[in-house]
């Protein structure tokens, strides 16, 4: 296998309005080789790819329980929809009207320099277009549940928030059955924030140990818009999330927060990129990561200050904890500045548990296992408890506590 197009069982085409866009993406894939260790963005993770065969498209059924989520998407198709709040509209790509089709085609084709997002666009059987009307303040979180089964699953979601809109989106990816070597999920979420729109995005990736998931989130932010993002990631056979944010309008602000835990032989690769294009914008990024056993964790965070992005404020903090001498963490913070009136900082640390703190807790009658869990969970909880949706924060805390005790 020499290029990414060979992963698709058949070239795209058909009666979909966006079919020509898919053909163009497929052509681009024929010129895109599989990543190797010599590919800079994959230098630490290429060995986990093992994509040596054509992947059949994941099957789907139309059976779905709307009580599971307000929006339930299975292998790229909407199968259940609960009651949506006023101001939120949902349509599938295949049912989009003439005006919306252009928006869909642009979203499919603008996936930046993300080859696996191109693969997603070329292989997508359908997609979901979510619009939040101008001046709509949605009080209750909108829950989006993505499900994937064996084969190549390519869920695609486009969220457009009109000016002055406000929303909390809770996105969760799960697998319907035990993945194998023919399984790969390439879910992509594209977000458009118009002037003064405000989005809180909470994302949880698949937690099945054998999952192979290469995911992407792209955000385009206009004047005075705000993004508050939280992510929970866990090590799998192949795990990666690319989060690309473009601050395109004056006064835009984004805050990215993430927690990652890898155990066993699991792997996860976090790649973030914040592009400060317009002046007077702010970004703040905080990631806390733990690697145990023989697992491997990668963090690559990039802040790019463009020439015209004066009076920019950007900060990145990445703290990592190694719990095993056989675990591996590769951290690469990047700061690229072409403007002269900016305030920026970035840093990363990798360490292990403090033996004096462990000893102190043990002298107070706390067993080693419990003391270890208390310290590691405390390392993550600052970010978890900051999540503005309480039931999500409670669920993540309980799940992490079980994992760190070896009970999950």
């Amino acid at each position: 296998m020499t290029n990414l197009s060979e992963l698709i069982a058949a070239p795209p085409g058909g009666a979909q309005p966006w079919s020509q866009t898919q053909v163009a993406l497929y052509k681009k894939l024929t010129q895109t080789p599989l990543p190797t260790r010599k590919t800079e963005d994959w230098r630490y993770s290429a060995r986990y790819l093992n994509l040596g065969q054509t992947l059949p498209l994941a099957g789907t059924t139309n059976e779905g329980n709307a009580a599971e989520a307000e929006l339930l998407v299975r292998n790229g198709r909407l199968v259940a929809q609960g009651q949506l709040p006023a101001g939120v509209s949902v349509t599938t790509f295949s049912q989009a009207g003439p005006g919306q089709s252009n928006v869909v085609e642009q979203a499919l084709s603008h996936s930046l320099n993300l080859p696996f997002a191109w693969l997603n666009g070329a292989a997508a059987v359908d997609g979901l277009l979510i619009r939040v009307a101008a001046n709509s303040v949605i009080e209750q979180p909108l829950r989006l549940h993505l499900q994937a089964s064996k084969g190549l699953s390519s869920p695609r979601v486009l969220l457009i928030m009109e000016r002055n809109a406000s929303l909390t989106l809770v996105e969760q990816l799960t697998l319907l059955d035990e993945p194998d070597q023919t399984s790969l999920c390439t879910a992509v979420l594209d977000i458009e924030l118009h002037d003064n729109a405000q989005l809180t995005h909470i994302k949880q990736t698949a937690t099945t140990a054998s999952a192979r998931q290469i995911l992407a989130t792209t955000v385009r932010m206009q004047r005075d818009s705000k993004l508050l993002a939280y992510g929970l990631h866990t090590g799998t056979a192949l795990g990666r999330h690319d989060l690309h944010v473009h601050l395109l309008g004056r006064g835009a602000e984004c805050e990215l927060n993430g927690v990652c835990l890898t155990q066993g032989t699991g792997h996860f690769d976090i790649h973030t990129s914040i592009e400060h294009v317009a002046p007077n914008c702010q970004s703040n990024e905080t990631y806390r990561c733990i690697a145990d056993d023989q697992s491997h964790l990668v963090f690559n965070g990039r802040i790019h200050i463009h020439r015209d992005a004066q009076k920019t404020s950007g900060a990145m903090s990445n703290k990592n904890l190694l719990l095993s001498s056989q675990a591996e963490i590769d951290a690469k913070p990047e700061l690229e500045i072409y403007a002269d009136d900016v305030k920026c900082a970035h840093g990363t640390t990798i360490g292990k548990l403090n033996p004096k703190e462990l000893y102190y807790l043990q002298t107070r009658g706390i067993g080693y296992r419990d003391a270890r869990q208390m310290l590691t969970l405390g390392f993550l909880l600052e970010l978890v408890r900051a999540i503005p949706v309480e039931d999500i924060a409670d669920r993540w805390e309980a799940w992490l506590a079980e994992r760190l005790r070896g009970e999950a």
Side-chain angles (χ1 to χ4, degrees):
M1 183 169 291
T2 60
N3 57 63
L4 282 172
S5 67
E6 296 177 47
L7 293 174
I8 303 177
Q16 305 99 326
W18 68 90
S19 59
Q20 292 306 309
T21 302
Q22 290 187 299
V23 171
L25 288 171
Y26 181 81
K27 183 178 180 180
K28 186 182 291 189
L29 291 174
T30 64
Q31 303 166 3
T32 306
L34 286 169
T36 67
R37 292 182 70 95
K38 294 182 179 180
T39 308
E40 181 61 28
D41 283 350
W42 284 87
R43 61 182 297 190
Y44 300 120
S45 300
R47 67 180 187 264
Y48 297 93
L49 281 171
N50 297 323
L51 302 176
Q53 58 185 311
T54 299
L55 305 176
L57 289 181
T60 187
T61 66
N62 290 325
E63 298 177 2
N65 181 1
E68 295 180 25
E70 289 179 343
L71 296 171
L72 179 59
V73 177
R74 183 170 300 150
N75 297 322
R77 292 187 174 94
L78 178 65
V79 297
Q81 177 179 317
Q83 183 67 38
L84 297 176
V88 177
S89 62
V90 172
T91 186
T92 60
F93 287 1
S94 57
Q95 296 175 337
Q100 295 174 323
S101 295
N102 292 334
V103 175
V104 169
E105 291 172 22
Q106 291 175 5
L108 287 174
S109 61
H110 94 264
S111 297
L112 311 176
N113 189 26
L114 297 173
F116 283 93
W118 303 341
L119 175 67
N120 170 280
V125 295
D126 208 342
L128 200 64
L129 173 59
I130 306 172
R131 279 187 179 270
V132 183
N135 304 310
S136 297
V137 178
I138 312 302
E139 300 291 348
Q140 293 298 318
L142 178 65
R143 298 177 188 265
L144 172 64
H145 192 178
L146 306 178
Q147 295 179 337
S149 54
K150 290 182 180 180
L152 178 59
S153 178
S154 304
R156 189 65 174 244
V157 178
L158 171 59
L159 170 64
I160 298 178
M161 297 186 60
E162 306 289 355
R163 60 181 306 162
N164 302 320
S166 177
L167 174 73
T168 295
L169 177 69
V170 179
E171 177 194 359
Q172 181 177 354
L173 172 64
T174 58
L175 304 182
L176 296 175
D177 43 30
E178 192 66 22
D180 57 22
Q181 288 301 303
T182 68
S183 302
L184 176 65
C185 181
T186 62
V188 176
L189 170 63
D190 294 310
I191 300 171
E192 299 274 354
L193 300 182
H194 292 188
D195 292 357
N196 203 42
Q198 299 186 35
L199 173 67
T200 298
H201 179 216
I202 303 170
K203 182 185 187 74
Q204 180 176 339
T205 56
T207 58
T208 306
S210 54
R212 300 200 300 176
Q213 50 185 329
I214 303 176
L215 317 175
T217 303
T218 71
V219 189
R220 295 169 61 84
M221 304 181 63
Q222 303 301 330
R223 188 182 183 102
D224 295 324
S225 59
K226 293 180 174 60
L227 170 68
L228 177 60
Y230 294 90
L232 173 63
H233 312 294
T234 184
T236 60
L238 167 64
R240 178 170 172 128
H241 181 220
D242 283 274
L243 174 54
H244 285 217
V245 180
H246 278 63
L247 303 170
L248 302 174
R250 183 186 296 268
E253 300 178 12
C254 75
E255 182 177 333
L256 312 183
N257 302 287
V259 169
C260 186
L261 171 64
T262 59
Q263 296 173 304
T265 58
H267 160 268
F268 207 91
D269 185 341
I270 302 166
H271 263 65
T272 69
S273 177
I274 302 176
E275 300 281 346
H276 283 263
V277 179
N280 298 96
C281 293
Q282 297 182 29
S283 68
N284 188 47
E285 181 174 359
T286 306
Y287 273 81
R288 298 284 178 87
C289 306
I290 296 178
D292 199 359
D293 305 317
Q294 296 85 43
S295 65
H296 182 203
L297 192 150
V298 180
F299 174 83
N300 193 137
R302 177 174 180 264
I303 298 177
H304 179 194
I305 313 297
H306 291 240
R307 190 175 304 278
D308 294 331
Q310 302 294 345
K311 300 189 182 302
T312 285
S313 174
M316 178 196 305
S317 172
N318 168 229
K319 295 182 179 180
N320 304 280
L321 192 59
L322 273 171
L323 297 183
S324 165
S325 60
Q326 295 177 293
E328 180 182 352
I329 295 178
D330 292 294
K332 185 184 177 186
E334 301 178 36
L335 188 55
E336 190 173 348
I337 302 175
Y338 295 99
D340 53 17
D341 187 4
V342 300
K343 182 180 179 181
C344 295
H346 73 305
T348 186
T349 61
I350 301 177
K352 60 181 181 179
L353 289 176
N354 189 328
K356 292 182 178 180
E357 293 177 353
L358 279 171
Y359 176 75
Y360 175 84
L361 292 175
Q362 288 177 279
T363 61
R364 268 51 182 181
I366 300 173
Y368 174 81
R369 185 182 179 188
D370 290 334
R372 185 177 186 264
Q373 185 220 30
M374 289 174 63
L375 292 175
T376 51
L377 186 60
F379 177 74
L380 303 175
L381 278 188
E382 178 183 355
L383 294 182
V384 173
R385 295 314 315 181
I387 295 173
V389 182
E390 188 172 358
D391 69 302
I392 299 295
D394 291 342
R395 190 194 316 162
W396 284 15
E397 180 178 349
W399 184 87
L400 288 167
E402 290 179 358
R403 281 292 181 117
L404 291 168
R405 283 184 59 86
E407 297 175 351

